[in-house]
Amino acid sequence: MSTESSAPPQRTVLPKPAWIRVQAGGARTQYLEVKNLLRTNRLQTVCEQASCPNMGECFGLGTAAFLILGKVCTRRCPFCDVGHGRPQPPDPEEPQQLADAVVRLRLGYVVVTSVNRDDLPDAGAGHFVTCIKALRQTCPATRVEILTPDFRGKESDALAILGMALPDVMNHNLETVPRLYREVRPGARYEHSLRLLQDFGRRYPDVPTKSGLMLGLGETDEEVMQTMQDLRAHGVRMLTIGQYLAPSKDHLPVQRYVHPDTFRALEARAYELGFDHAAVGPMVRSSYHADAQARQVLPGCDHS
C-alpha cells in the first residue's frame, strides 16, 4: 500500500483561541547553548524537525527530545512536518555523540525518538539499542525514554532487539482515533500500534508503556474516550493528550480547538480508567516535560 498522501483540501483557517499560547523560552544563553551543541554533535531534535511549539521553552531550560536515524522519514503523514524521502544509512557515531551531548547538558532524563525507517531490516530497533547502551555507559544516572515508530512488519524482531538494552519508559503514540487513521497516519494501523504496546508490556513488565493523542483532527470526545479505554485494555500506563496545531497550510487543517474544560474532563477520565499518569492539556506534547510525567511512575525518578 502506498504511503503517499495528497495535499488536504483548502479550508478556512480557524482562529486560535486565547488558551493557545506558546510559552516564551527560558534564558537566551541556554537556548543558544542547546542549538550550538546540537549542531556541533551533528544531532537532530524532534523539537526542530516537527516544528514543536514548545521548542523555545524546552531549549531555554536546557532540554531536548533527540531525533535519531536521520531527519528524513520513509513515510509521509499529513500532520507531520518531518521531511520525507530516501534516508541515509544510520550514522555509527550518533550514539556516542548523543551520549556526549546529554553529559554536556547535564540531563537527568532524555527522550530518544526517530523517524520511520521502513528501509532498514530491523526498522531501526538496533540503533535505538546502541543509543541506549551509549547512554547507560556514559551517563548511567540518566533515565531514558524511547518514543518509537511502529516497526511495521518487523515488530517481533524489533521487540526482541529492544530487550538487549531496555529503556526506562517505552512510548509509542497512537496519535488519533481509529476512524481517522487512513487520513492521518497512512501506512500505519491502529490495531497494530495497540498490539505493539501490549506486546512490549507483556515481554518487559517492569518498563511502563506510554502513548499520546492529538485532538482537533475531526475526532469526537466519545471516540477519544474509547481510544483511552483501548489503551488501558492493552496495558498502557502513561498518557499524553494535546491540541493538534497544523505546522503549515499544506498540512491537515485544525478542525476544532478543544476547550481546556474538555481537556480537564479527559484527564479526570484517564485517572478513572487507571492510568498511572496522564498529562492532558492544549499545549501538552508527548515529550514535553517528560521527566515530570515519569516522576510519578518511575521509582526514584527525581530530576527537580
Side-chain angles (χ1 to χ4, degrees):
M1 174 180 174
S2 172
T3 60
E4 298 291 323
S5 175
S6 58
Q10 295 297 311
R11 296 182 175 93
T12 301
V13 177
L14 298 177
K16 289 183 181 179
W19 59 82
I20 299 294
R21 290 289 181 268
V22 176
Q23 295 292 320
R28 178 69 177 172
T29 54
Q30 186 80 334
Y31 176 87
L32 293 175
E33 179 185 357
V34 174
K35 292 277 284 188
N36 291 335
L37 183 61
L38 292 170
R39 299 295 82 80
T40 299
N41 285 36
R42 304 199 310 274
L43 294 171
Q44 308 293 329
T45 66
V46 71
C47 322
E48 296 170 290
Q49 296 302 320
S51 302
C52 178
N54 301 316
M55 181 173 64
E57 179 187 1
C58 292
F59 278 18
L61 294 172
T63 64
F66 295 94
L67 183 70
I68 62 172
L69 289 166
K71 59 180 180 179
V72 178
C73 188
T74 54
R75 302 186 201 174
R76 180 180 291 167
C77 296
F79 71 88
C80 182
D81 207 28
V82 173
H84 163 84
R86 179 173 295 180
Q88 295 294 317
D91 180 357
E93 297 182 5
E94 184 174 56
Q96 191 58 50
Q97 290 167 344
L98 168 63
D100 292 343
V102 169
V103 171
R104 286 275 302 277
L105 291 170
R106 300 179 297 278
L107 300 181
Y109 193 98
V110 297
V111 179
V112 180
T113 187
S114 81
V115 293
N116 286 286
R117 291 300 303 259
D118 298 316
D119 59 309
L120 299 176
D122 64 356
H127 199 71
F128 269 99
V129 164
T130 306
C131 287
I132 294 172
K133 287 182 176 179
L135 289 165
R136 299 296 193 209
Q137 182 174 1
T138 306
C139 39
T142 298
R143 298 294 188 111
V144 181
E145 175 178 325
I146 59 172
L147 172 55
T148 75
D150 61 9
F151 304 117
R152 183 180 62 192
K154 305 161 186 174
E155 59 277 9
S156 181
D157 289 343
L159 290 179
I161 292 169
L162 289 177
M164 298 168 63
L166 288 171
D168 294 289
V169 174
M170 160 62 172
N171 188 354
H172 171 67
N173 287 334
L174 290 186
E175 306 291 8
T176 191
V177 301
R179 178 176 57 85
L180 298 177
Y181 253 56
R182 183 179 295 274
E183 179 181 9
V184 176
R185 292 190 67 194
R189 295 290 181 271
Y190 179 78
E191 296 80 6
H192 175 94
S193 286
L194 281 174
R195 187 167 60 250
L196 177 75
L197 288 160
Q198 183 180 58
D199 289 351
F200 183 95
R202 286 176 172 172
R203 289 190 190 215
Y204 314 113
D206 292 335
V207 180
T209 50
K210 173 180 174 181
S211 191
L213 300 171
M214 306 175 291
L215 305 189
L217 288 162
E219 73 292 324
T220 66
D221 293 345
E222 291 74 18
E223 287 177 313
V224 175
M225 288 189 282
Q226 180 58 57
T227 299
M228 292 163 60
Q229 291 181 44
D230 291 345
L231 285 167
R232 280 299 301 134
H234 286 75
V236 175
R237 296 172 53 188
M238 301 172 67
L239 176 69
T240 60
I241 305 179
Q243 171 70 52
Y244 168 67
L245 299 174
S248 77
K249 62 181 178 59
D250 297 319
H251 292 79
L252 288 173
V254 177
Q255 298 287 343
R256 64 165 177 160
Y257 286 103
V258 179
H259 194 275
D261 289 346
T262 300
F263 279 110
R264 283 190 283 270
L266 291 172
E267 180 179 9
R269 179 59 179 154
Y271 285 113
E272 290 173 0
L273 289 170
F275 284 97
D276 290 342
H277 187 268
V280 185
M283 300 308 295
V284 167
R285 296 296 181 268
S286 185
S287 55
Y288 178 55
H289 290 184
D291 56 338
Q293 297 171 27
R295 194 171 295 138
Q296 300 181 40
V297 178
L298 297 178
C301 184
D302 185 4
H303 309 295
S304 56

